[in-house]
């Protein structure tokens, strides 16, 4: 199978923006291959956010910006660069076309999980693979599916964090019951075990979380036939506490493919920079149209 690599030198001239509830980071890859980053606090007013963004982008000092990619908490409509009412940001129903008009540079928007996944798939743990899928483990469970270095959406976006593992399971923030997110997100863990993941020391609890996450991974393996599955997010700092039982359950459950076609589950490599790198890659490759 032909492998595709994104080279850092291809990314020079593109700008990536990673918007979080607390901080916004703006970055570009310099001609020497290094990442230049500027951060500021995410602004409560959207007009101030646009102002700060355009200042930070100018401050990067890129002589001619080719395009800007943005990763933001969703739900959002990437086709219109439009963010709906979201619990993780202070603004609702806003369009990043405002930034495009202001700077006269094309802007591409996508949700933070897709963008971090794109970064990992092209420059991180999935580098060199054509079909990559995975989850971001955070306050929610984000999902990404990257095909030939581009994000796959479906008509709006795939929500595999909300696959139902047990219809009699715990209530999820989305309104369904027993979603993967309700069992394995930081919010779900806090709700079920009374402590956030970084304080959870109970092996039996981690075993339950790992079992549910393995179910989720097997389900995306059989739906995507990905070459690798990647896990991103702060929860991976718990290392083997999560990964050891996870690998055991995953290997026990997934049998349908011959061994060499069973995707390996890999931890992310880019850490908290996956979002900025992914946004730069998004600016470079553009959207695939689906
Ligand atoms: Zn849900």
């Amino acid at each position: 199978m032909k492998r595709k690599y994104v080279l850092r030198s291809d990314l020079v001239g593109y700008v990536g923006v990673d918007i979080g509830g607390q901080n916004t980071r703006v970055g570009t890859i310099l001609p020497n291959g290094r990442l230049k980053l500027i951060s500021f606090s995410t602004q409560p007013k959207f007009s101030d956010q646009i102002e700060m963004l355009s200042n930070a982008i100018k401050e990067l000092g890129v002589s001619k910006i080719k395009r800007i990619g943005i990763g933001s908490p969703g739900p959002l409509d990437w086709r219109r660069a439009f963010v709906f009412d979201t619990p993780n940001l202070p603004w609702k129903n806003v369009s990043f076309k405002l930034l495009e008009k202001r700077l006269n540079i094309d802007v591409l928007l996508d949700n933070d999980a897709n963008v971090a996944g794109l970064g990992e798939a092209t420059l991180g743990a999935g580098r060199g693979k054509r079909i990559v899928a995975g989850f971001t483990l955070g306050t929610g469970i984000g999902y990404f599916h990257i095909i030939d270095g581009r994000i796959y959406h479906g008509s709006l976006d795939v929500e595999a964090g909300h696959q139902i593992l047990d219809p009699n399971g715990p209530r999820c923030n989305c309104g369904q019951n027993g979603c993967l997110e309700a069992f394995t997100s930081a919010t779900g863990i806090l709700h079920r075990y009374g402590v956030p993941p970084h304080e959870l020391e109970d092996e039996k609890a981690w075993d339950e979380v790992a079992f549910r996450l393995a179910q989720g991974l097997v389900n995306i393996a059989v739906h995507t036939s990905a070459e690798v599955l990647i896990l991103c997010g702060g929860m991976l700092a718990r290392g083997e506490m999560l990964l050891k039982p996870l690998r055991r359950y995953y290997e026990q459950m997934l049998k349908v493919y011959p061994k060499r076609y069973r995707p390996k589950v890999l931890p992310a490599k880019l850490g908290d920079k996956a979002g900025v790198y992914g946004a730069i890659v998004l600016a470079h490759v553009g959207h695939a149209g689906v």
Side-chain angles (χ1 to χ4, degrees), residues 162 172 174 176 179 181:
H162 297 278
C172 183
C174 72
Q176 299 176 169
C179 293
E181 176 166 312

Side-chain angles (χ1 to χ4, degrees), residues 159 161-164 170-182:
E159 290 286 4
H162 297 278
Q163 56 180 288
I164 294 173
R171 185 84 172 165
C172 183
N173 283 332
C174 72
Q176 299 176 169
N177 292 319
C179 293
L180 174 64
E181 176 166 312

Side-chain angles (χ1 to χ4, degrees), residues 8 22 27 33 41 80 84 112-113 134 140 144 147 157 166 175 199-201 220 224 244 266 275:
R8 277 180 179 245
Q22 302 295 317
S41 299
R80 295 187 288 144
F84 298 109
D112 44 11
F144 54 86
I147 303 170
D157 201 12
D166 176 2
E199 287 174 21
L200 184 64
E201 300 301 337
I220 63 171
T224 61
K244 196 176 165 202
L266 303 176

Side-chain angles (χ1 to χ4, degrees), residues 175-213:
Q176 299 176 169
N177 292 319
C179 293
L180 174 64
E181 176 166 312
F183 286 108
T184 62
S185 67
T187 319
I189 287 174
L190 178 63
H191 201 249
R192 286 171 73 74
Y193 305 109
V195 286
H198 65 274
E199 287 174 21
L200 184 64
E201 300 301 337
D202 179 358
E203 268 182 46
K204 198 172 158 283
W206 277 113
D207 194 80
E208 287 172 9
V209 172
F211 175 80
R212 293 302 184 180
L213 192 54

